[in-house]
Amino acid sequence: NHEVARAYFERAAKLQHTISHYVLGKIYKYGQGVPIDYDRAQQYFHFAAERGDSDAMVEIGNNYKNGWGVPIDFHQQAQYFQRASDTG
């Protein structure tokens, strides 16, 4: 049940749980039980990326590559991909 899962991830995110922010980003990016909201997804991904989540960095890079919620920007894309690679 997407609604129940989202509620648990939101509770964990309020406690600053990094992976929960990443998962919520995916939920909003792909519209899993909610309308697609690229801006909200990007906010969740940024929180996780700033705390070292390399998967979130890749998601942000892909958003810049494809123009999902942000202008297409290959320089930003490359920076986030490099950061993810450096992080591991």
Side-chain angles (χ1 to χ4, degrees):
N1 182 324
H2 290 292
E3 197 171 301
V4 172
R6 189 180 78 250
Y8 279 111
F9 283 115
E10 286 176 351
R11 285 177 58 190
K14 287 180 184 175
L15 298 172
Q16 308 300 311
H17 188 259
T18 301
I19 294 172
S20 294
H21 279 84
Y22 168 73
V23 172
L24 285 165
K26 299 275 282 190
I27 287 170
Y28 284 98
K29 180 176 180 178
Y30 296 108
Q32 298 171 322
V34 297
I36 290 173
D37 186 339
Y38 292 125
D39 292 332
R40 196 163 186 184
Q42 195 77 341
Q43 290 172 0
Y44 283 120
F45 289 142
H46 274 285
F47 181 95
E50 292 303 316
R51 282 146 188 85
D53 189 303
S54 60
D55 291 327
M57 294 172 201
V58 170
E59 288 293 336
I60 295 169
N62 281 326
N63 291 346
Y64 279 112
K65 175 184 174 189
N66 296 295
W68 294 327
V70 294
I72 291 175
D73 186 330
F74 297 119
H75 178 71
Q76 286 284 357
Q77 171 209 354
Q79 285 187 323
Y80 276 99
F81 285 171
Q82 185 62 54
R83 221 171 125 199
S85 176
D86 292 344
T87 300

